[in-house]
Amino acid sequence: MFRKILIANRGEIAVRVIRACRDLGITPVAVFSEADADALHVRMSDEAYCIGPPPSAQSYLNIDAIIAVAKKSNADAIHPGYGFLAENSEFAGAVKAAGLIFIGPTPEAMEVMGSKTSARRAAIAAGVPIVPGTTEPLKSLAAARDTAAQLGYPVMLKAAAGGGGKGMRQVEAESELHSALETAKSEADAAFGNNDIYLEKVVERPRHIEIQIFADTHGHVVHLGERECSIQRRHQKVIEECPSPINDPELRLRMGEAAIRIARTVSYVGAGTVEFLLSDVSREFYFLEMNTRLQVEHPVTELVTGFDLVREQINVAAGSVLSFKQEDVGWHGAAIECRVYAEDPENRFFPSPGKITFLRAPSGPGIRDDSGVVAGDEVSIYYDPMISKLAVWGSTRAEAIDRMRRALDEYAVGGIKTTLPFFREIVRDEEFIAGHLDTGFISRFNERRYRTARGSERVNQETSRDIAIIAAGLAYARAQRKASRDYEPRDQSKWKLAARSSGVNREPRRRVFERR
């Protein structure tokens, strides 16, 4: 077993790996940028080393600086977490060349699966269906036009070297293709240093289902079931579940076997995730991509299966056999995760950096909060604004939803805006409760919110109008009464004379009519 592991990351995933190291009696070594000098993962580690200025390109993406610190600290291995260099085959190769262990797949497997186009070819070789589209990067706008015309609009442009919604654009018509392609290439180049773009046919209202796989160096490959990741905003997952509300054992078996075939095709080692698009109607699925790392949403799989995936990563990297076989994997209950971001839902989800003046995380049965911050910490402008992952477990999906409602209501953060209010609405939404999910869920949810808000506005307008009419009527009645009290006939003597001559006492009831 390793003596020291350097964690080439920050935030909540660095904290998560530190805890796994402590469970195994391993010394965790942290790295940090100048902006993260007082970060939680730095305070929790036994050793911590600055690797550069705040911009990630000069710190957390600085391969030479990270390997230099690993050697200086006498670390045996490097855990990349997720994001930054986690799926960078060059980094994995540099770690290996430095005589260190990379806790993840081989550089060769990362090279194949890291490119979305070569990953699609690997899926075809494994006999797994792919979404219709190109298996090579687009060479020109003309090639993009020809392919899109053959497939039919809408189509999706995607970065070949990355994911997370970066370098990704949906194109509804040929007139949009040129600008969308230029934007996608520019964004992909900025995010991944590679502007290769490929093209796929859009699958209408699909579910985004991913399969967690695990492989060791002894030839064992297993899957740990599916995660439902359809609730996405700008192609970025925000809520994940295990299992999917579909909860179809036969479908899970078919998708799990497909994921294992892909992993075997590239001699995969460690934790990985094979992502699929699933037609909610036909139950046909298509390979989308493979993430050659630990996923952000791994806690929901851990809660339902009972396995510690980070601990398993470390053991497998050290040469151990997987601690479980396929027949040992079972799915018990249901788990849901919300990614809590420092963003303002009422202002187009703009980042909300700043100091966290107050923080009260939820607790109690079935609640897990993987956080990288505490009260007093600063949310930096330089990095992803996710501050924690709130995950809950319940014996049923309905129980998990009830628990998530309670947990979200308990969660309180001061000093910055967060996505907590947005999640509180979603977990009370009828479509979410019914499990009617696909990648367009957030758009429809926002439309329902808008209609509800407009309906409330109309009700308020109608109520205000009615109140105004009633108020005007009351004011008019008051004015009439006042006028009647103040009224005096111009010639009361004639009126009294007429009353006496008729023999009828017509003396007015109100004294106001008497001549003063």
Side-chain angles (χ1 to χ4, degrees):
M1 182 50 67
F2 306 119
R3 295 175 300 103
K4 276 188 181 181
I5 292 178
L6 181 141
I7 302 153
N9 219 298
R10 65 179 299 279
E12 69 83 18
I13 187 57
V15 171
R16 170 74 179 91
V17 178
I18 286 170
R19 287 173 171 151
C21 288
R22 295 211 186 283
D23 287 347
L24 291 165
I26 298 169
T27 299
V29 179
V31 294
F32 62 93
S33 71
E34 293 170 359
D36 279 341
D38 296 321
L40 181 60
H41 77 280
V42 174
R43 301 197 298 268
M44 287 182 63
S45 62
D46 289 4
E47 300 177 37
Y49 298 84
C50 183
I51 52 172
S56 55
Q58 301 174 47
S59 51
Y60 295 106
L61 293 174
N62 189 331
I63 294 175
D64 292 338
I66 291 171
I67 290 178
V69 167
K71 289 182 174 181
K72 180 179 179 180
S73 64
N74 295 315
D76 306 303
I78 294 179
H79 194 302
Y82 53 71
F84 294 129
L85 295 169
E87 293 182 276
N88 188 307
S89 60
E90 181 186 348
F91 177 55
V95 171
K96 183 178 179 180
L100 302 167
I101 301 296
F102 180 78
I103 301 178
T106 64
E108 294 76 18
M110 294 178 73
E111 186 74 30
V112 174
M113 303 312 292
S115 165
K116 302 301 184 286
T117 50
S118 61
R120 284 163 63 83
R121 294 194 295 271
I124 293 171
V128 177
I130 65 170
V131 178
T134 60
T135 55
E136 296 290 344
L138 295 167
K139 300 298 184 184
S140 65
L141 174 61
R145 281 177 174 153
D146 290 343
T147 305
Q150 293 171 14
L151 295 173
Y153 289 92
V155 296
M156 187 73 76
L157 299 174
K158 292 185 177 182
K166 297 179 176 64
M168 193 172 182
R169 290 292 183 276
Q170 182 165 322
V171 184
E172 302 292 337
E174 184 179 340
S175 59
E176 303 173 7
L177 187 59
H178 181 251
S179 62
L181 181 59
E182 291 301 311
T183 302
K185 289 171 73 71
S186 175
E187 194 172 279
D189 190 49
F192 313 114
N194 183 333
N195 69 354
D196 285 347
I197 299 293
Y198 69 103
L199 185 149
E200 285 182 346
K201 172 67 178 171
V202 169
V203 179
E204 300 288 353
R205 292 191 66 164
R207 286 180 182 261
H208 188 129
I209 304 291
E210 61 187 29
I211 300 291
Q212 175 72 59
I213 61 104
F214 228 110
D216 62 24
T217 57
H218 303 275
H220 304 109
V221 187
V222 302
H223 75 85
L224 291 93
E226 83 280 5
R227 291 187 288 258
E228 173 78 59
C229 303
S230 298
I231 301 183
Q232 303 177 7
R233 184 174 53 79
R234 295 197 289 265
H235 307 293
Q236 180 68 56
K237 305 163 191 171
V238 293
I239 298 180
E240 302 95 356
E241 299 186 44
C242 180
S244 166
I246 293 175
N247 205 13
D248 184 333
E250 188 273 334
L251 181 62
R252 177 183 298 141
L253 176 63
R254 287 198 294 130
M255 296 181 77
E257 289 176 345
I260 288 174
R261 289 201 304 274
I262 291 173
R264 289 193 183 281
T265 298
V266 295
S267 302
Y268 197 83
V269 174
T273 299
V274 181
E275 303 195 352
F276 298 94
L277 289 181
L278 171 72
S279 170
D280 203 15
V281 178
S282 67
R283 297 296 171 93
E284 294 300 317
F285 58 85
Y286 305 92
F287 171 78
L288 184 62
E289 62 184 19
M290 184 176 187
N291 295 129
T292 56
R293 54 170 168 81
L294 188 72
Q295 290 284 83
V296 176
E297 57 272 19
H298 75 273
V300 292
T301 296
E302 292 183 327
L303 288 171
V304 170
T305 64
F307 296 112
D308 184 331
L309 300 190
V310 179
R311 184 187 184 110
E312 208 68 36
Q313 276 188 301
I314 295 170
N315 286 332
V316 164
S320 299
V321 176
L322 271 174
S323 67
F324 53 88
K325 299 177 182 178
Q326 190 63 64
E327 56 266 29
D328 299 324
V329 181
W331 297 270
H332 310 286
I336 303 172
E337 176 183 285
C338 292
R339 301 187 187 188
V340 182
Y341 286 93
E343 296 176 337
D344 185 358
E346 301 305 319
N347 188 24
R348 301 181 183 180
F349 292 92
F350 279 13
S352 176
K355 186 175 182 179
I356 299 174
T357 58
F358 175 80
L359 192 151
R360 184 187 67 224
S363 59
I367 291 178
R368 167 176 169 175
D369 184 52
D370 285 20
S371 179
V373 296
V374 295
D377 284 354
E378 192 86 15
V379 177
S380 173
I381 62 172
Y382 294 100
Y383 314 113
D384 184 275
M386 187 175 73
I387 60 174
S388 79
K389 301 179 313 193
L390 175 62
V392 302
W393 179 90
S395 59
T396 64
R397 184 173 185 267
E399 183 178 302
I401 291 174
D402 289 341
R403 189 158 282 163
M404 180 60 83
R405 287 177 188 150
R406 191 260 296 175
L408 289 167
D409 289 344
E410 283 185 15
Y411 217 137
V413 181
I416 59 171
K417 300 287 187 179
T418 73
T419 50
L420 288 169
F422 183 66
F423 292 135
R424 291 181 188 125
E425 290 186 54
I426 287 182
V427 296
R428 290 170 169 84
D429 180 75
E430 291 182 2
E431 273 200 37
F432 175 78
I433 294 168
H436 297 157
L437 311 179
D438 60 64
T439 55
F441 174 88
I442 291 290
S443 296
R444 295 195 305 277
F445 173 74
N446 285 334
E447 288 174 5
R448 290 194 295 276
R449 291 177 75 207
Y450 176 75
R451 286 198 301 269
T452 301
R454 290 298 302 271
S456 298
E457 183 180 335
R458 284 195 298 271
V459 169
N460 291 337
Q461 288 175 346
E462 291 172 0
T463 301
S464 299
R465 183 185 63 198
D466 292 344
I467 291 173
I469 291 172
I470 294 170
L474 291 172
Y476 178 77
R478 284 196 299 270
Q480 290 293 97
R481 287 197 299 271
K482 184 176 186 300
S484 67
R485 285 196 301 269
D486 294 343
Y487 174 73
E488 288 189 53
R490 292 183 179 179
D491 193 348
Q492 289 193 25
S493 59
K494 292 182 179 179
W495 180 82
K496 288 184 178 181
L497 179 61
R500 284 196 295 270
S501 63
S502 65
V504 178
N505 183 10
R506 295 182 181 268
E507 191 71 20
R509 294 181 180 180
R510 295 181 180 272
R511 294 181 61 82
V512 71
F513 293 118
E514 296 288 335
R515 184 179 294 278
R516 295 182 178 86

